[in-house]
DNA sequence: GCCGTTTTCGGCCCGACTGTTTTCAGTCG
C-alpha cells in the first residue's frame, strides 16, 4: 500500500489545524503547513524518495523531525503525533476551521465552553442560541455559522477556467466602462492559468473619487456582498463565483498585481527574500526604510530583489524562485510557436465539420499541418472508422492535399487501445498513415498495474506514435484512470513515442505536473486540440497554458516543428 | 519546527475587513 504525497500533506495539515486550535506556537504550526505545501507540490512521491534513501531534509521546510515523520508515514501509514493530538481534542474540530468566520481561537472557545465536538454539535448549539452567549461572539456570528453549516452540503467546487472566463469577461468590461477606471486585471489563479479557478481576484486602478466599489457591488450578477471596504470588497455572483476586488493606486499596481496573483506560497517565499535583504514587500510596493523603491511594475520588483521576471504560470514556489535567481528560467512555449495541430475529427466519425472545412480552418490559423484523426471502429458511439472507411479517408485527404497544392492535412487516426493492449486496426492500414494517435476509451476501471501494462503493450506496436489524453480524466467530472504515468513516459522515451497535452478545456490531460515530469524525463509532448469542429481548433491556447505551467519550452513540444522535422521525429 | 551574506538563538509575510467592542482580536486572503 503506497502512501501518496497528498495523504502525507493532509496529515500535516490536520495536525497543524489541531495544534493551532490548542494554541500551540504559531510558527510550529506554520512549519507543518509549509511541509504540507512542499510535500503536496513535489513532483516525486515521498514513498519513492524514502525507498531510495534520499535525504528529505534537502526539501524546503523539511528538517530532521519532519523528515522522520515523513518516513514514519510512508512506512506505517500513520502519524503518531496526529494520533496523540486527536486523543487530546476531537479530530473533527479541524472541519470547523473550514467554516468561514471560524478560526482556531473561536473553535477552541466553542470546544472548551460549549463542549462542541462535531459539526452536528455546532449546529445544535447555534440553533439553541448558545453561541451568542460566548464572549467575542454575537448574534450575527451565530446566524452566519448556522447558515454556513447548512450550505456545506453543496461542495465547494473550482470552476473550469473556460467557465471562469465566461464569468470574468463581462465583469471586466463592466468595470472598465466606469468613468475614471484605468486598469482592470484579473489576477489570482486565473492569471496563473490554472486549469480551474476557485474565485476571481480583480485588481483595479482608478482616478481619485471614482465610485468603483459602489458600482462593483451594484453589478447585475451580484447576489451577496460578503464584505466591503474602501479598497477591498468581496461579493458572490449569481453563478456562485466569489469575486474579490482590490482598488490600488497606480504607483502600487505592480506590487498589487504580484501580491494578488500569488500563489500564496510564491508570495511568502518572495517576501522572505525581501526581508533577508532588509526590505519589506507588501501589496503597495517594495520598501527600504519606509521608502518605496519599487512597485509600479512586477518586473521592477523582481529586478530589485535580484532575480529574473517570473511568468505568472510558474509562480507556485516549485523551484521558480531559485531558477530566477540563477537566470535559469525556461523560455516558455507560446501559441505562436505552434505550427500545426495533431488531433482533430471530421464528420467521418464524431466531428461536426467536413474535411474541407477543417482544412480551410487550419489555413486560417496559419498552420503548416493539421492531422485528421477520426476514431477507429471500436468507438461505435462515435461511428469509428474500420479499415475500409479509413482507406477511403486516406484517399480523400490525398486528393484534397493535391487540390490545395501542399500536404496540409496529415493522414492520421485516433486508434483505440483495446483491453489486451492491441490496436484497433490492422497493421497494414495503420502503416499507410502519417501518424497514429492512440487512446483508451473503454475499461477505465482496470487496476493500476493492468492499465499500465495495457498501454505499455500498445507502445510495443511500432505504429504507436502519440498517447492521446493519457489519463482519461474529465475535469470535475471523471477521475483519471489509475496508471503509472512515470513508467509510461520512460517507455515512451525508450520507444520513440510521445504523449499528448489534450487542450480541450474539459480535459487538459496531461496535467501541469505531468508536463513537468515529461520534461524531466526527456519526453516531448504534442499540444493538440482534439477538435470536433473548426471552433475546437481555438482551444489550443488552453493546452499551451497547461504546458507553460509545466515549464515546457518550444523545444519540448512536437508540433512546434516544421512538417518535415515532425515526420522525422515520429519515425520510430 | 525550520533556518542562517544579520543569526546555531531568535527570528519566522503582511495588511484589510468584520463584529463586537469601546480600542481591538480574530479571520481572511
Amino acid at each position: 500500500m503506497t502512501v501518496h504525497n497528498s495523504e502525507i500533506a493532509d496529515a500535516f495539515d490536520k495536525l497543524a489545524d489541531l495544534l493551532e486550535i490548542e494554541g500551540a506556537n504559531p510558527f510550529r504550526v506554520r512549519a507543518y503547513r509549509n511541509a504540507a505545501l512542499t510535500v503536496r507540490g513535489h513532483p516525486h512521491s515521498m514513498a519513492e524518495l524514502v525507498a531510495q534513501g534520499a535525504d528529505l531534509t534537502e526539501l524546503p521546510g523539511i528538517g530532521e523531525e519532519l523528515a522522520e515523520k515523513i518516513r514514519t508515514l510512508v512506512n506505517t501509514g500513520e502519524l503518531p503525533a496526529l494520533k496523540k493530538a486527536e486523543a487530546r481534542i476531537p479530530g473533527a474540530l479541524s472541519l470547523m476551521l473550514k467554516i468561514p468566520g471560524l478560526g482556531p481561537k473561536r473553535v477552541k472557545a466553542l470546544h472548551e465552553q460549549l463542549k462542541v465536538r462535531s459539526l452536528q454539535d455546532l449546529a445544535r448549539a447555534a440553533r439553541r442560541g448558545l453561541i451568542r452567549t460566548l464572549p467575542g461572539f454575537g448574534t450575527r456570528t451565530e446566524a452566519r455559522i448556522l447558515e454556513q453549516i447548512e450550505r456545506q452540503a453543496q461542495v465547494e467546487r473550482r470552476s473550469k477556467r473556460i467557465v471562469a472566463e465566461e464569468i470574468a469577461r463581462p465583469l471586466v468590461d463592466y468595470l472598465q466602462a466606469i468613468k475614471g477606471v484605468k486598469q482592470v486585471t484579473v489576477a489570482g489563479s486565473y492569471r496563473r492559468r490554472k486549469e480551474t479557478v476557485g474565485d476571481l481576484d480583480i485588481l483595479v486602478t482608478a482616478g481619485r473619487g471614482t465610485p468603483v466599489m459602489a458600482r462593483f457591488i451594484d453589478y447585475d450578477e451580484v447576489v451577496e456582498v460578503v464584505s466591503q471596504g474602501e479598497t477591498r470588497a468581496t461579493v458572490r455572483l449569481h453563478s456562485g463565483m466569489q469575486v474579490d476586488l482590490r482598488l490600488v493606486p497606480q504607483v502600487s499596481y505592480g506590487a498589487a498585481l504580484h501580491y494578488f496573483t500569488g500563489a500564496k506560497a510564491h508570495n511568502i517565499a518572495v517576501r522572505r527574500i525581501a526581508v533577508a535583504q532588509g526590505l519589506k514587500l507588501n501589496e503597495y510596493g517594495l520598501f527600504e526604510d519606509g521608502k518605496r523603491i519599487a512597485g509600479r511594475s512586477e518586473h521592477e520588483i523582481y529586478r530589485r530583489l535580484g532575480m529574473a521576471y517570473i511568468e505568472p504560470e510558474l509562480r507556485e514556489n516549485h523551484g521558480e524562485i531559485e531558477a530566477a535567481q540563477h537566470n535559469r528560467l525556461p523560455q516558455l512555449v507560446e501559441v505562436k510557436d505552434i505550427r500545426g495541430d495533431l488531433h482533430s475529427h471530421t464528420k467521418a466519425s464524431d466531428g461536426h465539420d467536413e474535411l474541407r472545412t477543417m482544412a480551410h480552418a487550419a489555413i486560417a490559423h496559419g498552420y503548416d499541418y493539421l492531422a485528421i484523426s477520426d476514431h477507429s471502429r471500436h468507438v461505435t458511439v462515435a461511428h469509428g472508422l474500420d479499415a475500409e472507411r479509413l482507406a477511403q479517408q486516406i484517399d480523400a485527404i490525398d486528393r484534397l492535399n493535391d487540390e490545395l497544392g501542399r500536404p496540409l492535412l496529415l493522414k492520421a487516426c485516433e486508434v483505440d487501445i483495446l483491453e489486451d493492449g492491441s490496436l484497433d486496426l490492422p497493421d497494414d492500414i495503420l502503416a499507410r498513415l502519417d501518424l497514429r494517435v492512440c487512446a483508451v476509451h473503454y475499461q477505465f476501471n482496470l487496476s493500476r498495474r493492468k492499465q499500465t501494462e495495457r498501454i505499455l503493450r500498445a507502445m510495443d506496436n511500432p505504429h504507436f506514435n502519440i498517447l492521446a489524453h493519457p489519463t482519461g480524466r474529465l475535469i470535475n467530472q471523471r477521475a483519471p484512470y489509475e496508471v503509472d504515468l512515470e513508467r509510461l513516459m520512460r517507455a515512451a522515451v525508450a520507444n520513440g513515442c510521445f504523449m499528448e497535452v489534450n487542450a480541450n478545456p474539459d480535459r487538459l490531460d496531461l496535467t501541469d505536473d505531468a508536463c513537468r515530469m515529461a520534461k524531466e524525463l526527456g519526453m516531448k509532448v504534442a499540444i493538440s486540440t482534439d477538435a470536433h469542429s473548426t471552433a475546437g481548433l481555438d482551444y489550443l491556447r488552453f493546452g499551451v497554458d497547461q504546458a507553460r505551467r509545466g515549464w515546457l519550452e518550444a523545444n519540448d513540444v512536437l508540433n512546434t516543428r516544421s512538417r518535415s522535422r515532425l515526420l522525422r521525429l515520429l519515425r520510430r
Side-chain angles (χ1 to χ4, degrees):
Chain A
M1 184 63 204
T2 312
V3 178
H4 297 291
N5 285 3
S6 59
E7 298 169 82
I8 297 171
D10 287 347
F12 286 161
D13 268 331
K14 185 162 187 187
L15 180 52
D17 285 347
L18 298 184
L19 290 174
E20 199 171 22
I21 293 167
E22 287 186 308
N25 177 349
F27 299 106
R28 186 171 161 231
V29 171
R30 187 184 296 172
Y32 280 110
R33 294 208 199 285
N34 286 339
L37 270 175
T38 295
V39 170
R40 189 174 279 115
H42 200 78
H44 297 287
S45 84
M46 293 299 124
E48 221 167 276
L49 293 180
V50 168
Q52 292 164 1
D55 180 9
L56 298 176
T57 64
E58 301 269 303
L59 301 174
I62 308 290
E64 281 302 332
E65 277 199 50
L66 280 165
E68 182 55 34
K69 287 186 164 69
I70 291 172
R71 283 193 290 272
T72 305
L73 265 162
V74 165
N75 292 330
T76 69
E78 289 186 351
L79 182 59
L82 179 57
K83 289 256 173 216
K84 280 184 203 159
E86 286 177 330
R88 298 190 299 269
I89 62 169
L93 293 183
S94 74
L95 297 175
M96 287 183 209
L97 293 178
K98 303 234 182 316
I99 296 173
L102 285 190
K105 301 282 166 53
R106 287 181 167 166
V107 169
K108 183 183 166 92
L110 289 164
H111 175 234
E112 288 181 349
Q113 298 179 47
L114 294 179
K115 305 283 176 259
V116 166
R117 302 177 60 85
S118 66
L119 285 175
Q120 290 82 344
D121 289 350
L122 183 64
R124 213 171 299 135
R127 286 197 199 95
R128 286 191 197 150
L130 296 175
I131 290 176
R132 69 183 73 173
T133 65
L134 298 184
F137 291 78
T139 52
R140 301 278 305 264
T141 306
E142 185 176 80
R144 193 165 163 76
I145 288 172
L146 196 54
E147 185 188 323
Q148 292 295 342
I149 295 176
E150 279 160 4
R151 207 194 298 178
Q152 287 268 312
Q154 39 177 299
V155 279
E156 75 164 304
R157 170 170 275 197
R158 296 175 64 88
S159 305
K160 285 178 266 200
R161 205 174 75 247
I162 191 168
V163 175
E165 284 185 2
E166 285 165 6
I167 295 167
R169 282 196 177 132
L171 175 53
V172 168
D173 289 346
Y174 169 84
L175 293 169
Q176 198 82 66
I178 299 170
K179 199 166 161 357
V181 164
K182 291 172 186 156
Q183 278 156 299
V184 180
T185 311
V186 185
S189 56
Y190 187 94
R191 182 164 180 251
R192 299 200 312 279
R193 303 273 153 194
K194 276 196 78 159
E195 61 191 27
T196 59
V197 173
D199 58 9
L200 294 175
D201 300 300
I202 301 186
L203 202 62
V204 175
T205 58
R208 194 177 288 275
T210 306
V212 177
M213 288 305 170
R215 296 291 297 277
F216 174 54
I217 62 170
D218 197 35
Y219 183 56
D220 215 27
E221 299 284 314
V222 171
V223 293
E224 182 192 349
V225 178
V226 179
S227 77
Q228 185 198 354
E230 281 180 25
T231 64
R232 178 179 199 153
T234 302
V235 302
R236 210 159 44 77
L237 301 183
H238 186 68
S239 56
M241 182 74 82
Q242 184 164 303
V243 186
D244 288 352
L245 184 143
R246 267 302 268 271
L247 186 59
V248 297
Q250 196 69 49
V251 286
S252 301
Y253 179 72
L257 190 54
H258 180 260
Y259 167 80
F260 241 160
T261 297
K264 190 173 176 170
H266 173 92
N267 284 354
I268 291 174
V270 172
R271 282 198 207 124
R272 289 174 70 137
I273 287 170
V275 169
Q277 297 180 14
L279 308 173
K280 186 176 76 165
L281 178 63
N282 59 28
E283 59 263 56
Y284 298 107
L286 183 63
F287 296 87
E288 184 169 31
D289 302 328
K291 185 166 159 279
R292 179 170 15 229
I293 56 171
R296 227 168 238 287
S297 76
E298 290 182 321
H299 284 82
E300 194 179 53
I301 291 167
Y302 282 117
R303 189 168 56 237
R304 187 60 188 73
L305 289 172
M307 57 182 119
Y309 174 76
I310 300 174
E311 297 284 359
E313 291 93 325
L314 299 182
R315 299 183 197 168
E316 300 288 342
N317 197 24
H318 286 174
E320 74 280 5
I321 291 172
E322 294 75 10
Q325 287 174 319
H326 297 100
N327 244 325
R328 282 204 297 261
L329 284 169
Q331 187 73 40
L332 299 179
V333 63
E334 297 178 42
V335 168
K336 67 175 171 55
D337 295 326
I338 303 294
R339 306 280 291 268
D341 200 324
L342 296 180
H343 186 167
S344 73
H345 297 266
T346 70
K347 274 189 169 172
S349 63
D350 59 348
H352 300 302
D353 287 313
E354 302 284 355
L355 200 57
R356 183 179 298 273
T357 316
M358 293 299 283
H360 285 118
I363 291 169
H365 274 79
Y367 284 160
D368 294 343
Y369 44 84
L370 169 67
I372 301 295
S373 53
D374 276 305
H375 287 285
S376 62
R377 60 185 174 185
H378 193 252
V379 190
T380 49
V381 288
H383 196 40
L385 306 182
D386 57 18
E388 192 183 334
R389 289 176 59 219
L390 181 55
Q392 288 168 9
Q393 192 176 50
I394 289 171
D395 292 340
I397 290 174
D398 280 337
R399 282 196 302 276
L400 185 53
N401 278 341
D402 281 348
E403 190 186 310
L404 293 169
R406 62 176 170 122
L408 175 73
L409 299 182
L410 295 174
K411 291 167 282 192
C413 182
E414 182 173 4
V415 191
D416 239 57
I417 298 172
L418 304 181
E419 193 182 345
D420 64 357
S422 60
L423 298 182
D424 187 27
L425 288 170
D427 285 351
D428 56 348
I429 188 76
L430 293 180
R432 293 184 58 197
L433 298 170
D434 295 315
L435 161 71
R436 276 76 33 178
V437 179
C438 303
V440 168
H441 289 109
Y442 295 96
Q443 296 289 352
F444 290 156
N445 291 329
L446 299 184
S447 70
R448 181 177 165 95
R449 188 182 57 79
K450 279 194 176 157
Q451 196 69 276
T452 305
E453 297 290 343
R454 171 192 192 178
I455 299 171
L456 285 175
R457 165 116 199 275
M459 282 186 190
D460 285 340
N461 184 317
H463 295 302
F464 188 115
N465 296 120
I466 299 173
L467 179 63
H469 38 75
T471 74
R473 67 102 176 239
L474 294 173
I475 298 174
N476 283 352
Q477 202 178 319
R478 184 173 71 205
Y481 44 74
E482 289 285 331
V483 73
D484 186 342
L485 256 191
E486 181 167 349
R487 202 164 152 219
L488 292 183
M489 285 186 186
R490 289 186 190 282
V493 171
N495 289 325
C497 300
F498 306 93
M499 288 188 196
E500 175 180 276
V501 177
N502 192 295
N504 186 301
D506 295 332
R507 291 190 181 271
L508 295 174
D509 179 16
L510 302 170
T511 62
D512 45 9
D513 289 342
C515 286
R516 187 107 186 249
M517 191 198 285
K519 186 185 179 98
E520 279 177 22
L521 297 176
M523 188 196 74
K524 297 190 195 315
V525 303
I527 303 177
S528 307
T529 61
D530 198 354
H532 283 67
S533 68
T534 56
L537 294 172
D538 292 333
Y539 286 154
L540 184 83
R541 63 189 178 91
F542 292 106
V544 170
D545 287 338
Q546 191 83 328
R548 288 168 64 86
R549 288 185 50 82
W551 293 52
L552 299 193
E553 305 182 82
N555 187 43
D556 301 316
V557 179
L558 271 182
N559 45 328
T560 56
R561 307 307 202 270
S562 68
R563 183 178 186 280
S564 59
R565 288 203 54 206
L566 170 73
L567 292 177
R568 220 175 307 146
L569 272 171
L570 289 172
R571 217 169 288 150
R572 290 183 52 175

